[in-house]
Amino acid sequence: MSEIFKPNTAEQLIDVIQWANAHESTLAVQGSGSKIGIGRPVGAEGILDLSGFSGISQYEPNELVLTAGAGTPLADIETLLTEHRQMLAFEPPDYSGVFHDPLSEKQSSSSQKKGSLGGVLAGNISGPRRFYAGAARDHFLGFRAVSGRGEPFKSGGRVVKNVTGFDLSKLMAGSWGTLAACWEVTVKVLPIPEKTRTLLLFGLSDEDASRCIGSAAATPNSISGASYLPASLSTRSARSSVSSVFANSPQSSVIALRVEGPEPSVEHRINALRELLTTSNDYARPNHVEVLNSADSHVFWNEIGNLHFLSSGFQASNAQQKECWRLSVPPAVGWQVAHNITEKVFQNNPEVSWFSDQAGGLIWLSCPANSQAGVPTKNSEHAIRSAMEGWGGHATLWQVTGDDSAIEHRRNTRVFQPQPEALAALTLRVKRSFDPNGVLNPGRMYTGL
């Protein structure tokens, strides 16, 4: 059993990492443990638990800045921000509905959002608002951390103007704890919009839906959410808590367009979108149209970000091993990429589900891990990436579930998109600069790193 180190001061954190270097040991870095299932399994001798760095140390609502321990639960952050009518604009999701990793011992039955602030920043994990407000890294102002060498350092500050020289916050975001262990982070927050409305358009084909979303995003109506649920998904997905979704057309596709801001502006923009997309001869006409209020919009977009509509295939009791893929693609061809993979890789297997988010630039794909005849499970990622060639973009194996073999499956898979030779060499040099002995999260992203 791995030894667990749980420091709660910077000095203790430095001592642990320096000890690991001196003893040629390795450490698996984690916070709440909610994202252990993302990436390759870390084969480390010890566990560096950062959940002891919890608590909000500074919060200035008037300055729109918050500083907290990296292990602070997201639920605590959002509770405090909500009291001041503010939010994390990058809309961090909660994947606990689809993540049931046997390595994670911290799964909770609580209805509160899982995960820590440091965890979402380390993975640069963002929700449906990303294409409008930016990713987590764009709201990451500064941090205090200990490198893999065991040396403390800091970067950034409490205002954007403090960022001079190398903006290391951008480097840390998306490094998955392979470069340093952050113990304190500072983020930018924004006011919660006064009103939110979501326009639902039912019954369009995948191609027409893509054109519709692209045209809507190109208007000056400032859409902050644009997602598409194809008709094939509605017949086997988890049901939405919002009765309007699939209720009027239970086997129909759904386009969702979100508009936020002051009430008069929101009403004007949502009506302008509705008129453009339902009366113009340039677009196919939807079968039905609904507009969700603020409360229902909040529930629905949480379901989109949390992958609720794929969760029925990712329950722990499901005996069949399933994969969840995150496909970043050019928005205009997202639906074509999804069709290409569904048809060429999985031969239209009815167990394959997908939906698009972020105006078509993000495809979430759920599929059986061994659905392609003649292709070994460990090479399924090659087939998916090959099917994407010519379209651009990249694919990340976001989750594998089904049984204990899921860990071995991730170990034998290139989970993250393989890098070109020059970029891979640069990545290796960065890793060796921060963590020359490979102490932190070895192999989490790529073999040998």
Side-chain angles (χ1 to χ4, degrees), residues 15-133:
D15 288 343
V16 170
I17 297 179
Q18 289 182 348
W19 174 89
N21 275 277
H23 290 79
E24 299 182 350
S25 185
T26 54
L27 299 170
V29 183
Q30 65 182 52
S32 67
S34 64
K35 299 173 183 64
I36 291 177
I38 303 177
R40 301 178 68 252
V42 177
E45 288 87 1
I47 295 175
L48 179 55
D49 185 342
L50 300 180
S51 61
F53 294 100
S54 181
I56 299 167
S57 55
Q58 284 186 288
Y59 175 42
E60 300 174 15
N62 293 335
E63 299 296 329
L64 301 176
V65 173
L66 180 145
T67 299
T72 306
L74 278 174
D76 294 353
I77 300 288
E78 295 191 345
T79 297
L80 177 62
L81 291 177
T82 301
E83 293 175 359
H84 293 270
R85 294 288 301 166
Q86 294 182 348
M87 65 178 182
L88 295 170
F90 58 92
E91 214 167 1
D94 176 6
Y95 297 129
S96 58
V98 297
F99 282 16
H100 301 277
D101 194 278
L103 281 179
S104 177
E105 300 176 356
K106 297 188 177 183
Q107 296 292 341
S108 168
S109 60
S110 169
S111 60
Q112 290 187 318
K113 181 169 285 190
K114 312 299 189 300
S116 64
L117 180 60
V120 297
L121 294 173
N124 191 34
I125 297 174
S126 313
R129 199 181 280 111
R130 175 176 182 166
F131 79 100
Y132 174 76

Side-chain angles (χ1 to χ4, degrees), residues 316-333:
S317 59
N318 193 335
Q320 185 178 30
Q321 192 174 66
K322 301 276 288 186
E323 294 179 345
C324 179
W325 285 86
R326 185 184 189 277
L327 312 177
S328 297
V329 296
V333 300

Side-chain angles (χ1 to χ4, degrees), residues 275-409:
E275 182 176 359
L276 171 68
L277 301 176
T278 61
T279 63
S280 172
N281 292 327
D282 295 333
Y283 304 98
R285 303 290 177 85
N287 296 336
H288 183 73
V289 178
E290 288 277 348
V291 177
L292 303 183
N293 60 26
S294 293
D296 285 345
S297 292
H298 177 74
V299 172
F300 175 77
W301 288 101
N302 271 339
E303 292 176 340
I304 291 291
N306 298 347
L307 309 186
H308 170 78
F309 297 105
L310 297 182
S311 63
S312 60
F314 282 84
Q315 303 306 317
S317 59
N318 193 335
Q320 185 178 30
Q321 192 174 66
K322 301 276 288 186
E323 294 179 345
C324 179
W325 285 86
R326 185 184 189 277
L327 312 177
S328 297
V329 296
V333 300
W335 70 276
Q336 293 173 282
V337 173
H339 278 218
N340 201 38
I341 292 174
T342 301
E343 295 169 4
K344 292 186 177 181
V345 179
F346 298 103
Q347 290 81 50
N348 294 314
N349 187 323
E351 293 299 316
V352 177
S353 301
W354 66 274
F355 73 90
S356 71
D357 194 12
Q358 299 178 19
L362 178 62
I363 302 293
W364 289 104
L365 176 75
S366 167
C367 58
N370 58 350
S371 62
Q372 187 187 24
V375 177
T377 299
K378 66 179 182 180
N379 289 330
S380 60
E381 53 92 9
H382 176 73
I384 289 175
R385 290 188 173 118
S386 294
M388 293 179 64
E389 291 181 359
W391 301 106
H394 60 265
T396 303
L397 178 59
W398 208 243
Q399 172 68 349
V400 183
T401 190
D403 53 35
D404 291 342
S405 66
I407 299 174
E408 190 64 24
H409 181 98

Side-chain angles (χ1 to χ4, degrees), residues 51-284:
S51 61
F53 294 100
S54 181
I56 299 167
S57 55
Q58 284 186 288
Y59 175 42
E60 300 174 15
N62 293 335
E63 299 296 329
L64 301 176
V65 173
L66 180 145
T67 299
T72 306
L74 278 174
D76 294 353
I77 300 288
E78 295 191 345
T79 297
L80 177 62
L81 291 177
T82 301
E83 293 175 359
H84 293 270
R85 294 288 301 166
Q86 294 182 348
M87 65 178 182
L88 295 170
F90 58 92
E91 214 167 1
D94 176 6
Y95 297 129
S96 58
V98 297
F99 282 16
H100 301 277
D101 194 278
L103 281 179
S104 177
E105 300 176 356
K106 297 188 177 183
Q107 296 292 341
S108 168
S109 60
S110 169
S111 60
Q112 290 187 318
K113 181 169 285 190
K114 312 299 189 300
S116 64
L117 180 60
V120 297
L121 294 173
N124 191 34
I125 297 174
S126 313
R129 199 181 280 111
R130 175 176 182 166
F131 79 100
Y132 174 76
R137 62 162 51 97
D138 299 304
H139 300 261
F140 191 7
L141 298 180
F143 64 89
R144 295 176 183 270
V146 180
S147 71
R149 298 172 179 270
E151 300 171 345
F153 68 105
K154 65 178 182 178
S155 178
R158 295 183 56 77
V159 293
V160 176
K161 292 181 181 179
N162 281 353
V163 179
T164 58
F166 291 109
D167 186 359
L168 295 181
S169 298
K170 302 296 188 290
L171 184 63
M172 291 295 139
S175 66
W176 293 95
T178 59
L179 303 179
C182 292
W183 58 272
E184 183 182 80
V185 296
T186 298
V187 294
K188 175 175 62 178
V189 300
L190 290 177
I192 293 175
E194 178 185 331
K195 293 292 180 182
T196 302
R197 294 290 183 267
T198 299
L199 179 66
L200 301 180
L201 306 173
F202 296 84
L204 294 179
S205 69
D206 297 346
E207 181 176 5
D208 288 335
S210 178
R211 292 181 60 245
C212 180
I213 290 174
S215 298
T219 68
N221 292 304
S222 299
I223 296 169
S224 66
S227 186
Y228 173 64
L229 308 175
S232 58
L233 182 67
S234 68
T235 61
R236 53 183 176 271
S237 70
R239 311 306 296 174
S240 174
S241 299
V242 180
S243 60
S244 300
V245 182
F246 295 137
N248 295 288
S249 302
Q251 296 186 9
S252 172
S253 65
V254 183
I255 296 173
L257 302 172
R258 178 174 61 185
V259 175
E260 300 173 306
E263 183 172 7
S265 172
V266 168
E267 294 300 334
H268 171 78
R269 287 181 284 143
I270 205 73
N271 289 333
L273 282 172
R274 182 170 186 164
E275 182 176 359
L276 171 68
L277 301 176
T278 61
T279 63
S280 172
N281 292 327
D282 295 333
Y283 304 98

